[in-house]
Amino acid sequence: MTPTEMAFWRACLSFVTYIIPLNKYLNRKPVRLSLTSPKPTTSGASEEKEQQGKKFRQYAAALSATIGPFAVGTVLAWMSPALPMLLSADSKIKMTADQGSWVGSLIAIGAIFGSIPAGRTADLIGRKPVIAFLSLPFIISWSMIYFATEVWHLYVARLIAGTCLGGITATVPMYIGEIAEKSIRGELTSFVQVNVTLGILYVYLIGPFVNYAGLAIMCGILPAIWFVLVLLVVPESPTYLWRSGKRKEAEDVLIILRGKDYDTSDELAALQKDLEEKKPNSKLSEMIKSKPTLRAAFTVLGLLGFLSCSGINVVIFYAESIFKGSNSMISPKACSIVIGVLQVIFTFASSQLVDRAGRRVLLLISDSVMAMCLGSLAFYFYQQERGVDVSAFSLVPLISLGIYISTFALGFGPIPGVMIGELFSPEFKGLAIGIVCVLASLIEFCVVKSYQTLLNHYNRGVTFGLFACCCVVGTCFVFFLVPETKNKSLQEIQEELAGKKRTANQTQVVSV
């Protein structure tokens, strides 16, 4: 290891040892939108320990539902190994770099057509049928990619895959948020992003060893497996069943998920209060009048927007091309696998920390470190493009993107999905999530489509510098405006979003 590399790692270690003691300050109240008001306690009051159900079936249902996000990961990562194949001289589909940018970005447009219909339909017929049905368009998309002979075939296939992506984003976090106990809700919802990263790693691993057709086949079998698992393992959401008047079925599902010795009366009472008083409402005019829903939408849209503007999907889509352009001493395929492995490891770590450390602290660490990594990468490319000899720093792209993807996976990757399932009230959940996902998809489309344009006009140095600036602004957004939802029930979150104060006798101490 060179002295420069040793100095870099010492700086990283110093930053970590400095940031960890700041945990108590990072969990402070946001300035304007707060869910973290201190819980008052009375002197000498005994602490009540909340009832805990069995966890195995909750984990099984959540993991089965998140095979869909695994398939989403394959859709996102497909571009990385497939684009060099499509741009090669012997490709049966003749494609330019600009057409490749359309193939990459059209999934975001497709997501627009999947978000609102999936959210609304999940309110009408249930979460389980919608989640199961979303596997069918996936299979159609991969079939079209396999048989494609023209570029427009790929355009249509990616649009169809995008509708599935939008539908999964709108329904799977909602479903998991409704079946999970609050003590593990953050962890289970984080499995959405864990499986997305596993899907990405799956493509990075098989990409170097299969051809174009083999890649489509290996990705296309996953939605079929998901369809079977959803039908066999996943129960319907008790929230949906209760709201539909199927109270006995809702109680039976809670017993299945929590265990036969679990007393469901408290949860059913909460559903009675929350859902019968707030029936599903599909009117936009009524939703706009709801202060909690507007605050939730602003928070989630901000998180998803800054997630897109961090350039994460650009890195995932064009990983091999980025590493090839950096002239790294390690092969681009190997570099892609390294960042894929890191993403899985740190996303799983986030799922274990999110209910312990809290949402805000992970988001703040994540976005601030991402800004520094992208800044160093931008400086490297800027120097390289000016003709400066950067061969002594050839590991900078791999190290920067490795830390970038790791810290993204620790916070900004999984936590927006967690908060989608937590912040919206059942009254407007389907409509609100659909609208937010549409707007977030538009932002994502603009970012991914503009990447090639930025490269053509300003090269990689300026492009990644812009992504770094977006991360800085995103860190400020989280610090001042994003609430903490750790250890809050869905009902407590809605009450506090509405500005209601909780009294001492309403507050219980939750053991983690």
Side-chain angles (χ1 to χ4, degrees), residues 75 133-148 153-154 156-164 216 219-221 223-224:
V75 170
F133 173 78
L134 285 170
S135 62
L136 302 181
F138 262 135
I139 296 172
I140 294 171
S141 171
W142 287 117
S143 299
M144 290 189 67
I145 288 174
Y146 178 83
F147 291 107
H153 296 162
L154 297 180
V156 175
R158 297 288 280 178
L159 281 169
I160 294 172
T163 63
C164 299
C219 293
I221 62 176

Side-chain angles (χ1 to χ4, degrees), residues 306-354:
F306 285 113
L307 182 155
S308 297
C309 292
S310 72
I312 182 61
N313 278 345
V314 167
V315 172
I316 292 171
F317 290 179
Y318 298 98
E320 285 193 26
S321 300
I322 292 170
F323 285 118
K324 185 176 180 181
S326 70
N327 296 323
S328 172
M329 66 177 64
I330 304 175
S331 74
K333 295 182 187 297
C335 290
S336 299
I337 292 173
V338 168
I339 67 170
V341 170
L342 290 172
Q343 191 174 19
V344 171
I345 292 172
F346 280 88
T347 303
F348 180 77
S350 176
S351 73
Q352 304 305 302
L353 290 172
V354 68

Side-chain angles (χ1 to χ4, degrees), residues 87-198:
L87 294 178
S88 65
D90 58 348
S91 173
K92 68 176 182 178
I93 305 173
K94 302 305 178 183
M95 177 187 294
T96 65
D98 183 66
Q99 289 172 326
S101 71
W102 280 103
V103 173
S105 60
L106 280 174
I107 60 170
I109 295 297
I112 295 173
F113 299 101
S115 300
I116 291 181
R120 295 282 297 277
T121 306
D123 282 338
L124 293 174
I125 66 173
R127 283 50 164 152
K128 179 177 178 175
V130 173
I131 292 173
F133 173 78
L134 285 170
S135 62
L136 302 181
F138 262 135
I139 296 172
I140 294 171
S141 171
W142 287 117
S143 299
M144 290 189 67
I145 288 174
Y146 178 83
F147 291 107
T149 56
E150 302 288 342
V151 173
W152 70 266
H153 296 162
L154 297 180
Y155 290 167
V156 175
R158 297 288 280 178
L159 281 169
I160 294 172
T163 63
C164 299
L165 188 152
I168 288 172
T169 302
T171 56
V172 173
M174 176 200 307
Y175 172 78
I176 296 176
E178 293 175 350
I179 67 165
E181 292 178 88
K182 65 182 180 181
S183 61
I184 58 170
R185 189 177 62 233
E187 178 185 356
L188 295 190
T189 311
S190 294
F191 287 166
V192 173
Q193 187 64 21
V194 171
N195 273 19
V196 170
T197 61
L198 284 171

Side-chain angles (χ1 to χ4, degrees), residues 439-459:
L439 296 175
S441 297
L442 285 172
I443 297 172
E444 179 62 31
F445 169 77
C446 293
V447 172
V448 176
K449 184 64 185 75
S450 63
Y451 173 68
Q452 189 62 47
T453 303
L454 288 169
L455 288 186
N456 294 338
H457 289 84
Y458 303 106
N459 294 322

Side-chain angles (χ1 to χ4, degrees), residues 7-22:
F8 176 83
W9 285 112
R10 287 195 190 101
C12 293
L13 181 61
S14 299
F15 174 78
V16 171
T17 55
Y18 170 76
I19 200 71
I20 289 175
L22 296 181

